[in-house]
Amino acid sequence: MRIGILGSGLMGGKLGTIFARAGHEVVFSYARSTQKLKRLARKAKGNAQAGTPDEAARGADAVLLAVHWSRVDDVLKQAGNLSGKVIVTCSLPMNADDTGLVIAHTSSGAEELSKKVPRAHVVSAFGTVPSEVLFHVFEAKRRAKRPSLVYCGDDEGAKEVAAELIRDAGFEPVDAGPLRIARYTEPFTLLIAQLAYEGAGGPELAYRFERFAKQVR
Ligand SMILES: NC(=O)c1ccc[n+]([C@@H]2O[C@H](COP(=O)([O-])OP(=O)(O)OC[C@H]3O[C@@H](n4cnc5c(N)ncnc54)[C@H](OP(=O)(O)O)[C@@H]3O)[C@@H](O)[C@H]2O)c1
């Protein structure tokens, strides 16, 4: 697939690199320095290049939105027409100092994003794990037990695209349902961040849901 990265920081830079190494064509965009985008493209070592948000979105099978909540309007404006596009968002609706959610309970960042681009197909994914774990998960891809990654959205085709990217990154996709479930997944990330950044074990943290088969006693 061709993947446009809108926001090439901790999340976008790493996920773009992983997608390129998994064989996708990647365009890194939206950083404060073009040099940084070019460096990311070079170091990704796959089919990757640097571009503008407009170039990243053009012809893309999916775009990854990975910017601070305060930059969403700006990057969307620069990306141009996203009608019909799959937007995979890991962006959380955090306040300016990243201490709390500015949207919660009755809506979510993913749903508000979807209202901004009503003709695009928004899937919330990748936002529930810290960036620090991404390369580790990708490198451990061949292990039998993969970590889970929840995703949600309203368009089945867009969700299939997201699930493929989740699998390519080394996670087991867990379909959490429609986009409104982001009301639960976004605050869940604050728990993950607490464990990752305030816990004893460090931020290289992923999670795994397990189901147990019903047994007749
Ligand atoms: N980091 C995590 O572990 C994590 C985990 C889950 C969810 N999230 C969410 O994912 C989203 C991205 O987080 P992140 O940690 O990847 O953020 P980040 O490292 O700050 O990356 C944001 C990107 O936006 C670019 N940017 C910011 N202001 C800009 C401007 N004025 N013009 C052009 N580019 C600009 C940054 O440029 P520079 O590269 O020049 O700084 C950077 O490439 C956020 O919504 C966050 O809440 C993050």
Side-chain angles (χ1 to χ4, degrees), residues 7-12 30-33 36 66-69 71 90-92 94 127 129-132 189 197:
S8 298
L10 290 171
M11 292 297 281
Y30 204 71
R32 277 162 286 208
S33 122
K36 178 185 176 177
V67 296
H68 191 270
W69 191 245
R71 306 304 314 170
C90 69
S91 303
L92 296 168
M94 300 301 285
V129 286
S131 69
E132 287 86 348
T189 304
Y197 302 117

Side-chain angles (χ1 to χ4, degrees), residues 71-147:
R71 306 304 314 170
V72 168
D73 289 336
D74 184 52
V75 75
L76 288 179
K77 195 167 139 217
Q78 292 192 38
N81 186 2
L82 294 173
S83 295
K85 294 260 185 253
V86 175
I87 304 181
V88 177
T89 180
C90 69
S91 303
L92 296 168
M94 300 301 285
N95 60 13
D97 58 6
D98 282 324
T99 53
L101 294 166
V102 293
I103 299 161
H105 304 300
T106 53
S107 187
S108 59
E111 289 166 281
E112 294 308 307
L113 169 66
S114 172
K115 287 181 199 157
K116 291 176 192 284
V117 275
R119 291 200 178 82
H121 307 300
V122 174
V123 182
S124 173
F126 295 108
T128 51
V129 286
S131 69
E132 287 86 348
V133 84
L134 293 171
F135 284 132
H136 295 280
V137 172
F138 184 61
E139 279 152 24
K141 222 176 148 171
R142 297 199 201 300
R143 281 196 205 157
K145 283 196 171 183
R146 292 177 163 212

